Amino acid sequence: MTSPSNALSQLKQLTTVVADTGDFERMQEYQPQDATTNPSLILKAAQQANYQALVNQVKSAHPGMTPADLVDHILVAFGLEILKIVPGRVSTEVDARLSFDTQATITKAKHLIALYESHGIDRKRVLIKLAGTWEGIQAAKALEAEGIHCNMTLLFSLVQAAACGAVNAKLISPFVGRITDWYKAKLGSNWSDVNHGGANDPGVTSVKRIFHYYKHFGIATEIMGASFRNTSQILELAGCDLLTISPELLSDLQNSTAAVEKKLNASDAANALASENISALKLDESNFRLQLNNDAMATEKLAEGIRNFCVDTDKLETLLSK
């Protein structure tokens, strides 16, 4: 009698699995299709002893370059190593300090793509990560028109997702765990893993809502659940287009023999939206800003996420200046 396949293998039959890390040596054993990075993950990796040679190589190749410019080369250097491992795409993030500047975001994105292309990488293998601000979404609109594909990140609400879909962004990354963190903190002692976990997890239900909205309205943008806190959140989203998972949780899934069932189905979209009374959203700038403003969780987590990425970018610059 053959033993059941592990949960990771089962999940890969239902969803494209992506590695969420800058630690490219560690991701190899999980054989992900794609990989995602962000300033925090690259900062973490750049401080590890096993990556000092790569960091020093970039610094020595660009003597006299400012730390701010070196950051771009570090991001791409890690991206190039990742692309030797994954058969698909790597996501590389634009400086979060540009999150409210459309033109500067476009310029930085084009620079990152040019660096990849200078190393012989087809732009189709790179997703440029942009914050899900109004300005970031408008940058995505311009970049997608030029064949530069975007991964819209720091995404916490249906209105952000709908606006990204409206500009034909290639992919969105709704942040499951951070949404749950907010509700857990808000509820405090009233939080119950029984009542608020599993299928009722707030981060999980947020992604389900986005999935059903996209499938019902025929939006082609890919949905990639991100920022997971546990394997339960991941398994509740089996069937999502993609899921980006940390090495720690990939390991947990690989070591689990739990049965994995498809939880997201496009055929459920119409009924799911009707039950929540969700119709097509108005997505001009003023309506977008009002709807985002009226969602306290999304407003707070978006602002916090941008702040934290800015801090880690500053730390990465300081590290490179030494």
Side-chain angles (χ1 to χ4, degrees):
M1 183 175 175
T2 58
S3 60
S5 63
N6 64 58
L8 181 58
S9 297
Q10 295 176 68
L11 183 64
K12 285 180 177 179
Q13 302 301 312
L14 303 171
T15 290
T16 297
V17 169
V18 179
D20 193 23
T21 182
D23 187 351
F24 53 82
E25 291 178 2
R26 196 172 172 197
M27 74 171 68
Q28 294 189 60
E29 65 179 290
Y30 306 112
Q31 299 184 310
Q33 172 68 22
D34 296 349
T36 55
T37 65
N38 63 42
S40 303
L41 293 174
I42 295 298
L43 172 65
K44 183 179 178 182
Q47 295 177 92
Q48 293 176 211
N50 49 324
Y51 294 126
Q52 290 313 299
L54 179 61
V55 172
N56 291 331
Q57 181 184 333
V58 172
K59 289 171 72 173
S60 62
H62 304 284
M65 183 172 280
T66 66
D69 288 333
L70 272 176
V71 166
D72 292 340
H73 288 271
I74 286 289
L75 296 178
V76 171
F78 274 89
L80 291 170
E81 294 300 321
I82 288 168
L83 287 172
K84 294 175 184 177
I85 297 166
V86 301
R89 307 167 295 188
V90 66
S91 290
T92 297
E93 192 138 356
V94 161
D95 189 335
R97 295 169 297 193
L98 305 179
S99 296
F100 301 100
D101 188 331
T102 297
Q103 190 52 54
T105 294
I106 293 169
T107 300
K108 179 68 78 174
K110 289 182 176 180
H111 176 58
L112 290 170
I113 287 293
L115 288 178
Y116 274 110
E117 290 182 334
S118 73
H119 290 277
I121 300 298
D122 189 315
R123 62 178 56 186
K124 291 178 182 175
R125 295 197 69 200
V126 181
L127 293 174
I128 297 296
K129 290 181 80 173
L130 308 176
T133 57
W134 178 259
E135 293 80 6
I137 293 167
Q138 300 318 300
K141 182 178 182 179
L143 291 166
E144 290 285 355
E146 295 189 33
I148 297 174
H149 293 315
C150 301
N151 171 351
M152 306 307 294
T153 187
L154 295 174
L155 198 137
F156 303 98
S157 65
L158 180 58
V159 68
Q160 286 175 288
C164 292
V167 300
N168 299 312
K170 183 69 173 177
L171 180 147
I172 60 167
S173 296
F175 276 27
V176 177
R178 296 194 197 187
I179 292 173
T180 304
D181 292 346
W182 189 90
Y183 283 100
K184 207 167 187 176
K186 201 76 172 173
L187 287 171
S189 60
N190 290 321
W191 174 273
S192 159
D193 286 336
V194 174
N195 295 328
H196 303 113
N200 297 322
D201 182 296
V204 169
T205 58
S206 177
V207 177
K208 286 181 180 176
R209 194 175 298 121
I210 291 167
F211 179 88
H212 291 137
Y213 187 94
Y214 271 28
K215 302 313 175 187
H216 180 67
F217 290 108
I219 296 168
T221 299
E222 299 168 30
I223 305 166
M224 181 171 70
S227 168
F228 293 105
R229 298 291 179 256
N230 53 61
T231 56
S232 171
Q233 292 175 332
I234 295 167
L235 298 180
E236 286 294 340
L237 293 174
C240 193
D241 300 333
L242 308 96
L243 297 172
T244 184
I245 306 168
S246 69
E248 293 77 15
L249 292 177
L250 286 170
S251 176
D252 289 346
L253 290 168
Q254 194 171 66
N255 293 325
S256 168
T257 55
V260 179
E261 301 172 27
K262 187 174 185 180
K263 296 296 182 79
L264 293 185
N265 293 283
S267 58
D268 297 335
N271 287 338
L273 293 185
S275 67
E276 294 194 50
N277 197 28
I278 295 173
S279 55
L281 302 182
K282 293 182 178 179
L283 298 171
D284 58 275
E285 182 176 357
S286 61
N287 273 298
F288 173 88
R289 292 192 186 280
L290 180 62
Q291 290 173 76
L292 184 58
N293 178 78
N294 288 347
D295 186 333
M297 176 276 296
T299 298
E300 291 173 26
K301 297 309 286 187
L302 173 60
E304 178 188 69
I306 292 171
R307 281 196 303 272
N308 289 342
F309 282 162
C310 287
V311 167
D312 284 343
T313 300
D314 288 340
K315 288 179 180 177
L316 189 54
E317 288 182 2
T318 300
L319 183 71
L320 296 174
S321 68
K322 293 176 181 176

